[in-house]
Amino acid sequence: MDTPQLQLYVDAQFISPYAMSAFVVLTEKALPFELRTIDLAARQNHGADYASVSLTRRVPTLSDGGFHLAESTAIAEYLEERFPAPAHRAVYPADVRQRARAREVQAWLRSDLMPIRQERPTEVVFYGEGFAPLSEAARAAAGKLVSAAQSLLGGKQNLFDDWCIADTDLALMLNRLALHGDPLPPELQQYARHQWQRPSVQQWVRQAQALKAATP
């Protein structure tokens, strides 16, 4: 296989959960890549340079030579096929139904639970910032999240026999609540804490924390 020439474009603030997910996939697969930051606050993602590599003008975007791909799940699936196991760590289950379930979880977390995402943005997770108590709508979304997570996990520390990228995504959503001090069942707190200590996740977290510490 040819030597990869990979670049990953992420937000300069290091608070995008989707950029983190793509970063974790590349790191888990032990692929060499260049990290490039895009300042979303300055609307750098709307500039012509970024538009030339990102169809959606969002983060993350992956460049593999002359091929460019946006959207974190598309990136994860592409990298899984482009750099498969056993040469590189698998980030999805081998079993077809488990793999479909992992993708279902990812799609759900990205398209639902909007009140949680609005009222517990990732500044909670990466910067430790506090926000007002959850609204009724957010409490209902949290109840839905808890019920689904308990059904999926059954007390386990991974969704399936081995870790997969959907574990990272689910843990991040749970940590929007857990790291803010919102009520969460102990077994889900333990799961989120366990997943958050994964070295690939902590590499991203440390970058966010360093940026926060350097910001006046």
Side-chain angles (χ1 to χ4, degrees), residues 2 14 23 36 38 56 74 77-78 84 86 100 103 113 119 123 126 129 132-133 141 149 190 204 207 211 214:
D2 54 312
F14 290 99
F23 176 92
R36 298 187 176 184
I38 300 295
T56 64
E77 291 171 15
Y78 170 73
R103 289 169 172 166
L113 309 172
E119 298 180 29
E123 284 85 348
F126 299 119
E129 295 181 5
Q190 183 180 2
W204 177 272
Q207 292 180 94
L211 181 64

Side-chain angles (χ1 to χ4, degrees), residues 48-116:
D49 288 347
Y50 192 58
S52 69
V53 298
S54 178
L55 180 69
T56 64
R57 304 191 188 190
R58 304 199 298 182
V59 294
T61 290
L62 176 77
S63 291
D64 181 4
F67 177 68
H68 311 294
L69 187 66
E71 301 301 312
S72 58
T73 51
I75 291 169
E77 291 171 15
Y78 170 73
L79 291 171
E80 185 79 326
E81 295 180 8
R82 170 95 159 85
F83 305 101
H88 300 275
R89 184 187 186 98
V91 298
Y92 285 103
D95 178 80
V96 64
R97 292 185 174 178
Q98 290 185 350
R99 189 162 64 251
R101 182 71 72 197
R103 289 169 172 166
E104 177 190 35
V105 169
Q106 289 186 295
W108 174 56
L109 294 172
R110 285 158 171 75
S111 62
D112 198 1
L113 309 172
M114 181 59 73
I116 297 176

Side-chain angles (χ1 to χ4, degrees), residues 4 13 27-28 45 52 67 80 94 97 115 126 128 136 139 143 153 157 177 190 197 209:
Q13 294 75 25
T27 304
E28 291 286 342
N45 54 309
S52 69
F67 177 68
E80 185 79 326
R97 292 185 174 178
F126 299 119
E136 182 178 350
R139 290 197 301 273
L153 290 165
Q157 291 301 294
L177 302 173
Q190 183 180 2
Q197 293 310 308
Q209 291 175 341

Side-chain angles (χ1 to χ4, degrees), residues 182-194:
D182 297 306
L184 200 65
E187 70 273 17
L188 295 185
Q189 291 186 26
Q190 183 180 2
Y191 165 81
R193 186 164 51 246
H194 171 75

